[in-house]
Structure formats: C-alpha cells, structure tokens
Amino acid sequence: MDLHDYKDVAENYDRYLEVMYETENHYTGFQEFYLELARKYGSGGVVDIACGTGAVMLYLAEQGIDVDGTDLSEEMCKVSMEKAKERGLSLAIYPADMTKFSSGRKYSLAIIARSGFMHLPTPELQKAALQNIYEQLEDGGILTLNTFDPFPPYQTSQMASSPEDYKFRLEYTNSDGKREKIYNAITYDPVSQVMHGNWKFETLEEDGNIVGERIRPLTMRQTYRQEMKWLVELSGFEVVEIYKDYVWNKADEKASPCIWILKKKQGGK
C-alpha cells in the first residue's frame, strides 16, 4: 500500500497540504494553469488521472469543464466524490490504475497533476501508463504530467538516510480536531531511481503529550528529463512544451520541476 491508500490520509490530505503550501508552495497558480489548458484543449472532455481529493477536477467542473476523475486510491475517490456532492456536482469518479483505466470514452485532454506520475516505481509501469493514456485520448489529444529533475545534493542526502531517520515536516489540525505532527524519512536507491520513505503522524493532546502514532509508506521514482523524452516518444507522444512552473515559464537546463505538455501523434505510434 501507499500513503494515499489509507483512509486517515485521504480524510486529512487537504488539511495538511494547506499548511504545507504556506511554506513549501511550488504550486502557485496550478488550478488556473489547468483551467487554461482545459479551455484550450479540453473541448472533447477532460480526465483527471490520480485526481486525489479533487483539487483540479472540482475546480474545472465548477468552471463548466466536462471532466471525469480517476485515482488508484479508493479512499481518495470517496473523499473527492463527497466533495463533489457537497458542491452539487454530478461527476464520474472511479478508482482505477492509470496503466489500465478506461471509462469507455475518449478525451481530448488528460491531466496527471502534482506528483501522480512519479508514484509509478518502474520504467515499465511508466511506459504502460503512457501507452494506456494514449489509447484513451482522441487523435491529437493532449496529456500533461509532472516530474522533478533529480537533484544530486538531495539524492546524496537521501542515500545517507535510513527509514528511521525522521525529520519534522509540519503540524496541522486533523479531521477530529486534534493536533498532529508529520515527520518524513526518505531514502534513495540510485540504481532504481526510487525514493522509499515513511510518513509518521503523531497525534497530540492539548498539553503536547503523544496519544497516537501512525506510519504510512511512500514510494516515488525520479525520472531524468532525457529518459522521459524517450518514454514519451516510445509511447506515441511528442513533446509540445516543458514548463518549470504554473505561470508558463519554460523549463531551462537547470534542475527544476517539469510540467510536460505532450501531444498524441496523429495516425498512431
């Protein structure tokens, strides 16, 4: 299981992300970014893959975009469905693996926001996901997804870490009104390019005493930019553009987040 498969994580996901982004916000303007993409490319329908608790999907739906959602985590899908109902939205949201999902329709735009694609731990699974998404898109359809250029100083630090080397990340108030502290421990394998880690949640009483602890696993793969370009080509896409942020600044040669805009090639792979 992964971090996002747990009920307690899904229920509190929005709560701790809100706190996290106050100091670590790499996502300024991301909802508006996807809305602009949807208005430009989404006339044939949009699918939000790895939709999580619906930050992108619900925003697009409220702006009148025809959008479906899917996520590997059933718990995340349940949270996003409840949020949709609260907002009076009737959406198709269903749990599915991005390497296999099919809703029975074609889309003109597919979105994998944030780090959804990076949770595929092998090149084989990454390629399988890209090839499956290819089949779900209309000819000329657009796929956007995110990766991070591996950054050697971080890799070196993570290679020297152990699964018990927890570092404080943030404190927030959970869905039960309790204070919780989150700690991360992350290691990196340079051969597989996979980050293995654990998130530790400590539940606190008002006096600061710890009354509960949960450990939740997290696995993500780092993909080099040139490697990604080959995967894209092998899977029937071409690169339209790569951005380093959500305000349309193009990626340069420096290590940075990569927001890929990919186009399904006309006439097949």
Side-chain angles (χ1 to χ4, degrees), residues 114-126:
R114 293 173 174 160
S115 58
F117 186 79
M118 295 178 67
H119 288 279
L120 298 167
T122 68
E124 291 78 13
L125 286 172
Q126 290 176 333

Side-chain angles (χ1 to χ4, degrees), residues 123-255:
E124 291 78 13
L125 286 172
Q126 290 176 333
K127 183 181 176 183
L130 290 171
Q131 291 180 329
N132 182 53
I133 295 167
Y134 176 96
E135 298 298 335
Q136 312 310 317
L137 287 173
E138 301 173 350
D139 282 348
I142 297 294
L143 164 64
T144 179
L145 59 85
N146 295 15
T147 61
F148 285 91
D149 285 326
F151 188 52
Y154 287 168
Q155 292 173 311
T156 301
S157 174
Q158 290 168 353
M159 287 166 62
S161 298
S162 75
E164 290 76 38
D165 186 17
Y166 286 103
K167 295 179 175 60
F168 175 74
R169 189 72 178 272
L170 61 89
E171 181 177 323
Y172 77 107
T173 302
N174 69 19
S175 58
D176 294 325
K178 297 280 190 179
R179 291 168 54 203
E180 285 198 337
K181 290 184 177 181
I182 299 179
Y183 299 82
N184 297 145
I186 298 174
T187 61
Y188 178 69
D189 179 357
V191 176
S192 64
Q193 299 168 214
V194 171
M195 299 160 52
H196 294 283
N198 288 310
W199 284 40
K200 180 168 69 172
F201 297 80
E202 288 183 348
T203 307
L204 310 175
E205 291 285 14
E206 290 185 7
D207 59 8
N209 287 329
I210 299 172
V211 294
E213 179 181 293
R214 309 183 306 283
I215 305 295
R216 300 294 182 246
L218 181 70
T219 300
M220 297 175 69
R221 185 173 191 274
Q222 299 185 359
T223 305
Y224 288 90
R225 201 180 302 190
Q226 187 57 51
E227 177 187 8
M228 191 66 197
K229 289 179 179 177
W230 281 112
L231 278 170
V232 165
E233 177 71 21
L234 287 169
S235 302
F237 291 92
E238 59 185 342
V239 177
V240 175
E241 192 55 80
I242 310 171
Y243 297 99
K244 65 179 180 181
D245 55 35
Y246 294 99
V247 290
W248 306 96
N249 288 311
K250 294 181 180 180
D252 50 32
E253 295 305 313
K254 297 179 182 179

